Short mmCIF file of all heavy atoms in Angstrom, two decimals:
data_model
loop_
_atom_site.label_atom_id
_atom_site.label_comp_id
_atom_site.label_asym_id
_atom_site.label_seq_id
_atom_site.Cartn_x
_atom_site.Cartn_y
_atom_site.Cartn_z
N ASP A 1 101.21 54.54 103.31
CA ASP A 1 101.19 55.78 104.10
C ASP A 1 100.99 55.47 105.55
O ASP A 1 100.65 56.32 106.37
CB ASP A 1 100.03 56.72 103.63
CG ASP A 1 98.67 56.12 103.70
OD1 ASP A 1 98.59 54.89 103.85
OD2 ASP A 1 97.74 56.88 103.68
N VAL A 2 101.28 54.25 105.99
CA VAL A 2 101.01 53.88 107.29
C VAL A 2 102.36 53.39 108.04
O VAL A 2 103.12 52.75 107.40
CB VAL A 2 100.06 52.65 107.43
CG1 VAL A 2 99.79 52.29 108.90
CG2 VAL A 2 98.77 52.91 106.79
N LEU A 3 102.54 54.05 109.25
CA LEU A 3 103.74 53.79 109.91
C LEU A 3 103.34 52.85 111.17
O LEU A 3 102.48 53.22 111.93
CB LEU A 3 104.40 54.98 110.45
CG LEU A 3 105.67 54.98 111.31
CD1 LEU A 3 106.79 54.27 110.51
CD2 LEU A 3 106.04 56.34 111.84
N TYR A 4 103.95 51.59 111.19
CA TYR A 4 103.71 50.74 112.32
C TYR A 4 104.85 50.77 113.22
O TYR A 4 106.06 50.62 112.77
CB TYR A 4 103.52 49.30 111.79
CG TYR A 4 102.16 49.06 111.05
CD1 TYR A 4 102.20 49.18 109.71
CD2 TYR A 4 101.04 48.86 111.71
CE1 TYR A 4 101.06 49.06 108.92
CE2 TYR A 4 99.90 48.60 111.09
CZ TYR A 4 99.84 48.81 109.67
OH TYR A 4 98.66 48.52 109.00
N LEU A 5 104.76 50.94 114.55
CA LEU A 5 105.77 50.88 115.60
C LEU A 5 105.46 49.84 116.45
O LEU A 5 104.33 49.56 116.90
CB LEU A 5 105.83 52.25 116.26
CG LEU A 5 106.00 53.44 115.39
CD1 LEU A 5 106.13 54.73 116.23
CD2 LEU A 5 107.32 53.29 114.60
N VAL A 6 106.48 49.06 116.88
CA VAL A 6 106.38 48.00 117.87
C VAL A 6 107.55 48.15 118.89
O VAL A 6 108.71 48.30 118.46
CB VAL A 6 106.34 46.63 117.15
CG1 VAL A 6 106.27 45.48 118.23
CG2 VAL A 6 105.21 46.48 116.13
N ALA A 7 107.15 47.95 120.17
CA ALA A 7 108.21 47.92 121.21
C ALA A 7 107.95 46.62 122.05
O ALA A 7 106.87 46.48 122.50
CB ALA A 7 108.20 49.14 122.03
N THR A 8 109.01 45.78 122.18
CA THR A 8 108.84 44.60 122.94
C THR A 8 109.77 44.66 124.09
O THR A 8 110.76 45.26 124.14
CB THR A 8 109.25 43.39 122.13
OG1 THR A 8 110.62 43.53 121.72
CG2 THR A 8 108.36 43.34 120.93
N MET A 9 109.30 44.02 125.22
CA MET A 9 110.13 43.92 126.53
C MET A 9 110.88 42.53 126.63
O MET A 9 111.62 42.38 127.51
CB MET A 9 109.20 44.09 127.68
CG MET A 9 108.74 45.54 127.98
SD MET A 9 107.72 45.56 129.46
CE MET A 9 108.97 45.61 130.74
N GLY A 10 110.70 41.68 125.63
CA GLY A 10 111.31 40.41 125.78
C GLY A 10 110.58 39.42 126.70
O GLY A 10 109.51 39.78 127.12
N GLU A 11 111.13 38.33 126.79
CA GLU A 11 110.62 37.17 127.73
C GLU A 11 110.61 37.66 129.17
O GLU A 11 111.73 38.05 129.65
CB GLU A 11 111.23 35.93 127.47
CG GLU A 11 110.68 34.79 128.22
CD GLU A 11 111.44 33.47 127.92
OE1 GLU A 11 111.46 33.07 126.78
OE2 GLU A 11 112.04 32.98 128.88
N LYS A 12 109.58 37.64 129.89
CA LYS A 12 109.42 37.84 131.39
C LYS A 12 108.97 36.61 132.04
O LYS A 12 108.16 35.89 131.53
CB LYS A 12 108.59 39.01 131.62
CG LYS A 12 109.08 40.27 130.93
CD LYS A 12 110.42 40.79 131.45
CE LYS A 12 110.88 42.01 130.74
NZ LYS A 12 112.32 42.31 131.03
N PRO A 13 109.40 36.37 133.26
CA PRO A 13 109.05 35.19 133.97
C PRO A 13 107.70 35.11 134.62
O PRO A 13 107.23 34.09 135.03
CB PRO A 13 110.13 35.06 135.02
CG PRO A 13 110.54 36.49 135.38
CD PRO A 13 110.33 37.21 134.07
N THR A 14 107.03 36.31 134.72
CA THR A 14 105.72 36.28 135.35
C THR A 14 104.84 37.38 134.62
O THR A 14 105.21 38.04 133.71
CB THR A 14 105.85 36.82 136.84
OG1 THR A 14 106.29 38.16 136.83
CG2 THR A 14 106.77 35.87 137.63
N SER A 15 103.56 37.37 135.14
CA SER A 15 102.60 38.42 134.61
C SER A 15 103.06 39.76 135.36
O SER A 15 103.79 39.73 136.29
CB SER A 15 101.18 38.04 134.93
OG SER A 15 101.04 37.87 136.43
N GLY A 16 102.45 40.85 135.00
CA GLY A 16 102.63 42.08 135.66
C GLY A 16 103.59 43.06 135.03
O GLY A 16 103.76 44.14 135.45
N TYR A 17 104.17 42.66 133.89
CA TYR A 17 105.03 43.52 133.10
C TYR A 17 104.23 44.12 131.94
O TYR A 17 103.33 43.52 131.40
CB TYR A 17 106.19 42.75 132.51
CG TYR A 17 107.19 42.19 133.53
CD1 TYR A 17 106.98 41.05 134.17
CD2 TYR A 17 108.36 42.98 133.83
CE1 TYR A 17 107.88 40.56 135.02
CE2 TYR A 17 109.16 42.48 134.71
CZ TYR A 17 109.07 41.33 135.43
OH TYR A 17 109.90 40.83 136.28
N GLU A 18 104.48 45.39 131.70
CA GLU A 18 103.72 46.11 130.64
C GLU A 18 104.65 47.20 130.09
O GLU A 18 105.41 47.77 130.68
CB GLU A 18 102.51 46.71 131.28
CG GLU A 18 101.56 47.31 130.25
CD GLU A 18 100.25 47.81 130.92
OE1 GLU A 18 99.74 47.17 131.93
OE2 GLU A 18 99.72 48.82 130.47
N ILE A 19 104.45 47.38 128.74
CA ILE A 19 104.99 48.50 127.99
C ILE A 19 103.89 49.31 127.27
O ILE A 19 103.00 48.58 126.67
CB ILE A 19 106.14 48.20 127.08
CG1 ILE A 19 106.87 49.35 126.42
CG2 ILE A 19 105.69 47.09 126.10
CD1 ILE A 19 108.19 49.02 125.83
N THR A 20 103.93 50.61 127.39
CA THR A 20 102.78 51.46 126.80
C THR A 20 103.29 52.61 126.12
O THR A 20 104.17 53.29 126.68
CB THR A 20 101.77 51.79 127.89
OG1 THR A 20 101.49 50.64 128.62
CG2 THR A 20 100.58 52.49 127.32
N PHE A 21 102.64 52.94 124.90
CA PHE A 21 103.04 54.23 124.32
C PHE A 21 102.28 55.29 125.13
O PHE A 21 101.15 55.18 125.45
CB PHE A 21 102.47 54.26 122.87
CG PHE A 21 103.33 53.48 121.88
CD1 PHE A 21 103.02 52.20 121.53
CD2 PHE A 21 104.44 54.07 121.30
CE1 PHE A 21 103.79 51.44 120.69
CE2 PHE A 21 105.23 53.36 120.37
CZ PHE A 21 105.00 52.08 120.08
N VAL A 22 103.01 56.42 125.41
CA VAL A 22 102.37 57.55 126.13
C VAL A 22 102.31 58.82 125.40
O VAL A 22 101.70 59.78 125.81
CB VAL A 22 103.07 57.74 127.58
CG1 VAL A 22 102.75 56.44 128.41
CG2 VAL A 22 104.55 58.04 127.50
N GLY A 23 103.13 58.93 124.40
CA GLY A 23 103.13 60.19 123.52
C GLY A 23 104.06 60.06 122.40
O GLY A 23 104.86 59.13 122.24
N TYR A 24 104.03 61.07 121.50
CA TYR A 24 104.95 61.16 120.34
C TYR A 24 105.05 62.55 119.91
O TYR A 24 104.29 63.44 120.31
CB TYR A 24 104.42 60.30 119.14
CG TYR A 24 103.15 60.80 118.50
CD1 TYR A 24 103.35 61.52 117.35
CD2 TYR A 24 101.88 60.69 118.97
CE1 TYR A 24 102.26 62.02 116.70
CE2 TYR A 24 100.91 61.17 118.37
CZ TYR A 24 100.95 61.87 117.16
OH TYR A 24 99.90 62.36 116.52
N ARG A 25 106.02 62.77 119.10
CA ARG A 25 106.29 64.16 118.51
C ARG A 25 106.78 63.90 117.13
O ARG A 25 107.87 63.23 116.83
CB ARG A 25 107.26 64.93 119.29
CG ARG A 25 107.65 66.25 118.82
CD ARG A 25 108.69 67.02 119.58
NE ARG A 25 109.89 66.23 119.82
CZ ARG A 25 110.52 66.14 121.01
NH1 ARG A 25 110.02 66.77 122.12
NH2 ARG A 25 111.54 65.46 121.17
N GLU A 26 106.03 64.46 116.11
CA GLU A 26 106.54 64.42 114.67
C GLU A 26 107.37 65.65 114.48
O GLU A 26 107.01 66.83 114.94
CB GLU A 26 105.40 64.50 113.73
CG GLU A 26 104.53 63.23 113.63
CD GLU A 26 103.47 63.26 112.65
OE1 GLU A 26 103.78 63.32 111.39
OE2 GLU A 26 102.30 63.11 113.00
N ASN A 27 108.50 65.51 113.89
CA ASN A 27 109.47 66.63 113.76
C ASN A 27 109.51 67.00 112.32
O ASN A 27 109.40 66.18 111.39
CB ASN A 27 110.85 66.19 114.33
CG ASN A 27 110.81 65.83 115.73
OD1 ASN A 27 110.36 66.49 116.51
ND2 ASN A 27 111.25 64.58 116.03
N GLN A 28 109.86 68.27 112.06
CA GLN A 28 109.92 68.76 110.71
C GLN A 28 111.12 68.17 109.89
O GLN A 28 111.12 68.27 108.68
CB GLN A 28 110.15 70.33 110.71
CG GLN A 28 108.91 71.12 111.17
CD GLN A 28 107.62 70.84 110.36
OE1 GLN A 28 107.79 71.01 109.11
NE2 GLN A 28 106.55 70.55 110.96
N ASP A 29 112.04 67.62 110.59
CA ASP A 29 113.25 66.98 109.84
C ASP A 29 112.92 65.57 109.54
O ASP A 29 113.86 64.75 109.33
CB ASP A 29 114.48 66.99 110.69
CG ASP A 29 114.37 66.38 111.95
OD1 ASP A 29 113.31 65.84 112.34
OD2 ASP A 29 115.46 66.28 112.70
N HIS A 30 111.67 65.13 109.39
CA HIS A 30 111.26 63.75 108.96
C HIS A 30 111.69 62.69 110.00
O HIS A 30 111.94 61.61 109.65
CB HIS A 30 111.72 63.44 107.61
CG HIS A 30 111.25 64.38 106.52
ND1 HIS A 30 109.90 64.25 106.04
CD2 HIS A 30 111.85 65.43 105.95
CE1 HIS A 30 109.82 65.23 105.15
NE2 HIS A 30 110.87 65.95 105.12
N THR A 31 111.64 63.13 111.27
CA THR A 31 111.88 62.16 112.31
C THR A 31 110.70 62.18 113.28
O THR A 31 109.85 63.12 113.21
CB THR A 31 113.18 62.51 113.19
OG1 THR A 31 112.98 63.76 113.83
CG2 THR A 31 114.41 62.56 112.33
N MET A 32 110.63 61.12 114.05
CA MET A 32 109.50 61.10 115.09
C MET A 32 110.15 60.56 116.39
O MET A 32 111.03 59.71 116.42
CB MET A 32 108.48 60.10 114.58
CG MET A 32 107.36 59.92 115.63
SD MET A 32 106.10 58.70 115.06
CE MET A 32 105.13 59.74 114.03
N ASP A 33 109.76 61.23 117.40
CA ASP A 33 110.13 60.71 118.74
C ASP A 33 108.88 60.02 119.36
O ASP A 33 107.78 60.67 119.41
CB ASP A 33 110.52 61.88 119.72
CG ASP A 33 111.86 62.50 119.24
OD1 ASP A 33 112.98 61.81 119.59
OD2 ASP A 33 111.92 63.61 118.62
N VAL A 34 109.00 58.83 119.85
CA VAL A 34 107.89 58.21 120.59
C VAL A 34 108.38 57.94 122.00
O VAL A 34 109.48 57.60 122.27
CB VAL A 34 107.46 56.90 119.78
CG1 VAL A 34 106.81 57.33 118.46
CG2 VAL A 34 108.53 55.87 119.73
N PHE A 35 107.42 58.00 122.89
CA PHE A 35 107.66 57.81 124.30
C PHE A 35 106.88 56.69 124.94
O PHE A 35 105.61 56.57 124.58
CB PHE A 35 107.39 59.21 125.07
CG PHE A 35 108.05 60.35 124.53
CD1 PHE A 35 107.52 61.18 123.46
CD2 PHE A 35 109.35 60.64 124.93
CE1 PHE A 35 108.17 62.26 122.90
CE2 PHE A 35 110.09 61.78 124.36
CZ PHE A 35 109.50 62.56 123.32
N LEU A 36 107.59 55.89 125.57
CA LEU A 36 106.94 54.76 126.21
C LEU A 36 107.19 54.69 127.72
O LEU A 36 108.29 55.21 128.04
CB LEU A 36 107.37 53.45 125.49
CG LEU A 36 107.06 53.27 124.05
CD1 LEU A 36 108.24 53.60 123.16
CD2 LEU A 36 106.53 51.85 123.70
N GLU A 37 106.38 53.96 128.40
CA GLU A 37 106.65 53.68 129.83
C GLU A 37 106.49 52.17 130.14
O GLU A 37 105.60 51.58 129.48
CB GLU A 37 105.71 54.54 130.74
CG GLU A 37 106.05 55.99 130.74
CD GLU A 37 105.26 56.73 131.65
OE1 GLU A 37 104.37 56.26 132.27
OE2 GLU A 37 105.52 57.97 131.79
N THR A 38 107.24 51.73 130.96
CA THR A 38 107.17 50.23 131.42
C THR A 38 106.71 50.19 132.76
O THR A 38 106.97 51.13 133.58
CB THR A 38 108.47 49.50 131.21
OG1 THR A 38 109.43 50.10 132.10
CG2 THR A 38 108.95 49.57 129.78
N THR A 39 106.10 49.06 133.15
CA THR A 39 105.70 48.80 134.47
C THR A 39 106.20 47.39 134.79
O THR A 39 106.15 46.49 133.87
CB THR A 39 104.31 48.96 134.88
OG1 THR A 39 103.53 48.11 133.90
CG2 THR A 39 103.80 50.36 134.81
N GLU A 40 106.58 47.18 135.99
CA GLU A 40 107.06 45.91 136.43
C GLU A 40 106.17 45.53 137.71
O GLU A 40 105.79 46.48 138.54
CB GLU A 40 108.51 45.75 136.78
CG GLU A 40 109.28 46.05 135.49
CD GLU A 40 110.93 45.96 135.83
OE1 GLU A 40 111.22 45.68 136.99
OE2 GLU A 40 111.57 46.14 134.88
N PRO A 41 106.03 44.22 138.12
CA PRO A 41 105.33 43.96 139.28
C PRO A 41 106.15 44.32 140.51
O PRO A 41 107.30 44.23 140.44
CB PRO A 41 105.06 42.37 139.15
CG PRO A 41 106.07 41.99 138.22
CD PRO A 41 106.40 43.09 137.36
N ALA A 42 105.47 44.79 141.55
CA ALA A 42 106.12 45.16 142.82
C ALA A 42 106.62 43.77 143.46
O ALA A 42 106.01 42.73 143.16
CB ALA A 42 105.19 45.86 143.75
N GLU A 43 107.54 43.85 144.31
CA GLU A 43 108.07 42.65 145.02
C GLU A 43 107.11 41.87 145.64
O GLU A 43 107.05 40.64 145.70
CB GLU A 43 109.20 43.03 145.84
CG GLU A 43 110.49 43.41 145.12
CD GLU A 43 111.65 43.69 146.15
OE1 GLU A 43 111.63 43.03 147.26
OE2 GLU A 43 112.53 44.43 145.77
N ASP A 44 106.11 42.56 146.31
CA ASP A 44 105.03 41.90 147.06
C ASP A 44 103.76 41.71 146.33
O ASP A 44 102.70 41.20 146.88
CB ASP A 44 104.77 42.55 148.41
CG ASP A 44 104.35 44.04 148.23
OD1 ASP A 44 104.41 44.54 146.98
OD2 ASP A 44 103.91 44.70 149.13
N GLU A 45 103.73 41.93 145.04
CA GLU A 45 102.52 41.81 144.21
C GLU A 45 102.37 40.35 143.87
O GLU A 45 103.28 39.66 143.42
CB GLU A 45 102.66 42.54 142.97
CG GLU A 45 101.45 42.66 142.08
CD GLU A 45 101.57 43.57 140.92
OE1 GLU A 45 102.60 44.44 140.91
OE2 GLU A 45 100.90 43.44 140.03
#
């Protein structure tokens, strides 16, 4: 009864990259929408 979700960004050349779950919606038609956001380092970071 457990649903595991994983989202990967792949190989990145530096630190400062991130992917995060920010929300979800369970739908009556047995689907789910999940929302993620990514961040990347700024050029001068």
